[in-house]
Amino acid sequence: MSKGFSGVDFENKMAGHGNRLIVRSALVLSIIAVVLVFMIVLTVLSSNNLMNIESTQVSNVPSNILPSYSTCSFESFDKQTTLSGWFFKCEDPITTIIVVHNSGSNRLPFGVNMIDLIETWLNNDYNVFMFDLRNSGDSEGDITGYGYLEWNDVLGAISQVKSISVTTDVVLYGIGTGTTACIMAYDQLPPANLTEAELNSYPQDILDLGLNQSYIKGMIFDSPAKNSDDYISPAVRQNEFLGSLTANFVPYAIRVSTGISDSVNLAAEISRLPVPVCIIYGGHDTYIGAEKITQIVDERNRLNSGITVSQMIPGAGYLESFNVGKDVYIDTIMQYMTTFFIKG
């Protein structure tokens, strides 16, 4: 009689095989679940670290070397944050330049060296408004939003300038993440010449500002990124534990925390802005990527070359252009200002 497997033996073998498969599958799924939970926790911790950076205080500048100014205290557009700033005015101003600093900085983004730029502006008949974004300098606020919250501060600053300056328009000067804040603030305002029916689609608090996009006559950008998230991902990679794994998730977590659903395609927005634009960046910028900023400049020139000024500062890294090439930096901005903003 030949030996072989009985039906019962075969069924037992198959049952054992099935049980082992279930156990292995459960083990794999458990590992995946643990990894996902770990990544979520790491992402949340990293986003909290980045949003809760310590406020950077304004440099102690001797009053005798600062041009005459008045201090300002005003509300952000969201009415939840009181901001602090300086207003420098000249005799017969052409326009007012509003400086919007990078996250982790303050109203003097280049320290006391920036006084040279302020004096140059004033000597050429441009008012200057410098202020601390939320969680910066002397302003209130506990968290930093990398532009996703600070657009409220920019609208507050524009409204404040409108109330205290005799000029009828402003030029926004965004530095680093200040670029995101400026673009988002601009996008919140209605375009000029909308019908009453079209204006009714805008929130009442925006309409109450009494402003539209035509009030912003120009924009200056120092180190603009292609996407608003691009300011956050490098910080995660450089400063956070296992940042290379969470670099693409933390920006989303920060946006969710600020109530913003989508990132901003800054490259597309900048290239299409209907106002004069000035772009300055460092040739050795490895944070945003000098080659990526060059692409923004090229696209801007392709679409709006007649109202575009740009300058790459050789040897400068991210946000180092002013300190590395101060004279060229100031000359570039003044070329832009005196080309597009002159007395009529």
Side-chain angles (χ1 to χ4, degrees):
M1 182 177 178
S2 62
K3 295 181 179 180
F5 291 113
S6 69
V8 173
D9 290 338
F10 179 76
E11 289 178 0
N12 289 337
K13 289 285 187 180
M14 292 302 295
H17 179 73
N19 289 336
R20 287 195 296 273
L21 182 60
I22 292 172
V23 171
R24 289 171 183 169
S25 298
L27 180 61
V28 170
L29 291 175
S30 297
I31 293 173
I32 291 174
V34 169
V35 171
L36 286 176
V37 170
F38 176 74
M39 291 294 292
I40 291 171
V41 171
L42 199 59
T43 297
V44 170
L45 290 175
S46 294
S47 62
N48 284 338
N49 288 340
L50 291 178
M51 295 183 73
N52 288 280
I53 57 177
E54 186 175 351
S55 174
T56 303
Q57 296 304 305
V58 180
S59 303
N60 187 17
V61 183
S63 58
N64 63 325
I65 67 172
L66 266 175
S68 177
Y69 67 90
S70 58
T71 58
C72 301
S73 179
F74 60 100
E75 290 296 316
S76 177
F77 173 70
D78 61 14
K79 306 299 183 185
Q80 298 178 7
T81 313
T82 300
L83 307 173
S84 176
W86 292 335
F87 179 52
F88 302 84
K89 64 179 180 179
C90 48
E91 187 73 22
D92 185 21
I94 299 169
T95 189
T96 300
I97 301 168
I98 300 178
V99 181
V100 185
H101 63 77
N102 183 55
S103 297
S105 183
N106 56 52
R107 72 185 75 176
L108 283 176
F110 308 127
V112 295
N113 290 329
M114 199 169 182
I115 294 173
D116 291 339
L117 182 54
I118 299 170
E119 290 179 335
T120 301
W121 282 331
L122 294 173
N123 291 336
N124 286 272
D125 301 318
Y126 303 110
N127 283 347
V128 184
F129 189 78
M130 310 177 73
F131 72 105
D132 299 321
L133 296 167
R134 62 187 61 207
N135 193 32
S136 300
D138 296 329
S139 291
E140 295 180 352
D142 299 320
I143 61 174
T144 296
Y146 297 86
Y148 293 124
L149 288 173
E150 288 76 6
W151 63 267
N152 289 281
D153 304 344
V154 175
L155 286 184
I158 294 173
S159 181
Q160 175 70 7
V161 167
K162 183 174 180 288
S163 68
I164 64 176
S165 177
V166 298
T167 58
T168 58
D169 49 54
V170 298
V171 173
L172 298 183
Y173 172 22
I175 301 169
T177 59
T179 299
T180 300
C182 289
I183 292 294
M184 291 187 69
Y186 180 83
D187 286 344
Q188 295 297 317
L189 297 175
N193 303 319
L194 290 185
T195 65
E196 185 174 346
E198 291 170 326
L199 285 173
N200 286 336
S201 65
Y202 283 81
Q204 188 59 46
D205 52 359
I206 288 290
L207 299 179
D208 289 343
L209 290 173
L211 298 167
N212 59 45
Q213 291 178 348
S214 67
Y215 194 76
I216 301 173
K217 289 296 185 181
M219 294 204 199
I220 304 168
F221 300 119
D222 182 334
S223 307
K226 295 185 75 173
N227 186 282
S228 52
D229 283 353
D230 292 344
Y231 288 112
I232 304 172
S233 295
V236 179
R237 294 189 186 95
Q238 293 179 11
N239 303 315
E240 297 300 313
F241 177 65
L242 296 181
S244 58
L245 298 179
T246 59
N248 294 324
F249 304 115
V250 173
Y252 174 76
I254 289 178
R255 280 192 276 115
V256 169
S257 298
T258 60
I260 302 297
S261 57
D262 298 316
S263 62
V264 181
N265 187 338
L266 297 174
E269 296 256 11
I270 292 171
S271 65
R272 292 177 173 82
L273 281 172
V275 299
V277 168
C278 177
I279 298 174
I280 304 177
Y281 62 105
H284 283 179
D285 183 346
T286 57
Y287 187 88
I288 295 299
E291 71 287 348
K292 295 180 181 178
I293 303 177
T294 299
Q295 293 170 10
I296 298 175
V297 172
D298 290 344
E299 183 65 8
R300 172 72 193 181
N301 280 321
R302 185 181 72 84
L303 297 175
N304 289 289
S305 61
I307 51 173
T308 302
V309 172
S310 63
Q311 179 65 56
M312 183 270 287
I313 306 294
Y318 177 60
L319 300 182
E320 295 178 348
S321 296
F322 183 87
N323 291 325
V324 170
K326 185 174 74 171
D327 291 342
V328 175
Y329 193 105
I330 293 176
D331 288 346
T332 300
I333 289 181
M334 291 314 300
Q335 175 197 344
Y336 165 79
M337 294 300 299
T338 55
T339 298
F340 301 109
F341 306 98
I342 57 176
K343 289 184 179 179

